[in-house]
Amino acid sequence: METLSIASASSESIAILASAIMAMVIIPVFVGWLPIALTAIAGATLMVSTKCLPMEEAYRSIEWKAVFLIAGMLPLGTAMQKTGAATYLTQGLLSMVGNQGPWVVVASLYIITSMATTIIPTAALVVLMSPIAIQSAESLAISPYSAMMAIALAASASFTSPISHPCLLYTSDAADEEDSVDLGGRRII
């Protein structure tokens, strides 16, 4: 009985410490003192160093496929900028809808991203679409944040195929592809 109370006291103190670390990560970002990248790394380091999170569990929880996919796609995004492919695609987009105004261009980026997530994983697609969005925004003299947000929202809200969102991989056996496109398409809109 005494062992049980020691274990529960220990888990309570770990929970309190983990909550304090989480607050130390979120509050400086919320107030605007520090960037999230810095506080998140510091928080993760504190969680492991204080043994709130065992190192083995931290390694197991990392989605290594996503890490390597993004690491592999970053050079492709850079290559698109250096070779002029991003400029070419941006000019193509702007020649079709650029004279309609910035809202139509941003909406077009959203639609293109949503459609492309049916065949390209979202993390890779965001890396590919980013140079196009940034150059489109610069060409229209608008903030690139709106174009990037459209891409991020389109990529994260795409449910049209099991490729587009990881949660659909678990349910793809239950519904056929036609149902997935029908239901997912309505969710995007």
Side-chain angles (χ1 to χ4, degrees):
M1 191 71 169
E2 191 174 312
T3 309
L4 182 61
S5 64
I6 292 172
S8 66
S10 174
S11 65
E12 282 181 27
S13 64
I14 288 175
I16 291 170
L17 180 60
S19 297
I21 292 171
M22 196 66 181
M24 290 185 335
V25 168
I26 294 172
I27 291 171
V29 174
F30 184 72
V31 176
W33 293 336
L34 296 169
I36 185 67
L38 182 66
T39 60
I41 290 172
T45 304
L46 277 172
M47 289 287 242
V48 172
S49 64
T50 58
K51 298 197 178 7
C52 287
L53 177 67
M55 192 61 157
E56 295 80 26
E57 191 175 332
Y59 278 127
R60 277 195 314 265
S61 65
I62 295 172
E63 192 69 41
W64 290 108
K65 286 193 283 188
V67 170
F68 287 113
L69 176 70
I70 292 170
M73 294 306 289
L74 287 175
L76 183 58
T78 304
M80 283 180 63
Q81 285 180 313
K82 289 188 177 181
T83 62
T87 303
Y88 176 76
L89 293 170
T90 300
Q91 289 171 349
L93 174 68
L94 293 176
S95 69
M96 287 190 285
V97 295
N99 59 351
Q100 302 295 322
W103 286 107
V104 175
V105 173
V106 172
S108 299
L109 288 168
Y110 181 91
I111 292 166
I112 291 167
T113 304
S114 294
M115 290 172 39
T117 57
T118 60
I119 56 172
I120 301 172
T122 56
L125 186 60
V126 169
V127 172
L128 291 175
M129 290 296 292
S130 294
I132 298 167
I134 292 169
Q135 286 189 9
S136 296
E138 288 174 354
S139 296
L140 294 170
I142 62 171
S143 171
Y145 293 125
S146 58
M148 289 302 298
M149 188 56 73
I151 287 175
L153 287 173
S156 64
S158 185
F159 301 105
T160 55
S161 78
I163 292 173
S164 62
H165 205 280
C167 72
L168 296 176
L169 292 175
Y170 301 113
T171 60
S172 62
D173 291 338
D176 63 358
E177 209 171 294
E178 201 173 293
D179 289 340
S180 180
V181 170
D182 181 41
L183 293 172
R186 283 188 266 157
R187 286 187 186 127
I188 290 172
I189 294 171

